[in-house]
Amino acid sequence: VWAQSDKVSPQQTAEVTAKKLEAAGYTVLTIDGHNPSAISDAFSQHAQAQHDPAANPIAIVAKTVKGWGSPSQQGSGHHGKPAEKDELTQALQELDATR
């Protein structure tokens, strides 16, 4: 699991973040942040809870992979740095194939 430029510390994993939010009183929805159906369902649950005064606040924790959809850009070393020239062409082709 990667952060801005290095591995995520154990205190910042999705699982630990979810447990912290639960301890603070949130209903936590941990989802695959690359799955459109999971994202839509989580937003729907959040919207429904807004109309229930007894409901706990909802937090959505989305598990994602940096560079997902473009294997050549996936992982460390690419965050915050644009792909250029041949790398950009390859990344765009990979994203088209993933779509």
Side-chain angles (χ1 to χ4, degrees):
V1 179
W2 291 92
Q4 176 77 15
S5 61
D6 203 355
K7 291 216 177 234
V8 170
S9 74
Q11 295 83 18
Q12 295 176 316
T13 64
E15 294 77 17
V16 171
T17 299
K19 287 181 182 181
K20 289 177 181 178
L21 289 163
E22 287 171 353
Y26 285 81
T27 297
V28 178
L29 308 175
T30 302
I31 64 168
D32 174 350
H34 301 296
N35 180 327
S37 296
I39 296 166
S40 178
D41 291 347
F43 282 141
S44 292
Q45 289 180 55
H46 181 273
Q48 290 171 4
Q50 301 308 300
H51 302 290
D52 181 356
N56 290 342
I58 291 182
I60 301 169
V61 176
K63 292 183 174 186
T64 60
V65 175
K66 188 183 298 188
W68 182 87
S70 175
S72 67
Q73 297 296 304
Q74 194 166 306
S76 69
H78 298 284
H79 188 77
K81 168 173 108 174
E84 296 179 354
K85 300 180 183 170
D86 292 341
E87 284 184 341
L88 177 59
T89 300
Q90 180 179 358
L92 292 172
Q93 289 171 347
E94 291 169 346
L95 289 170
D96 282 341
T98 300
R99 181 178 36 175

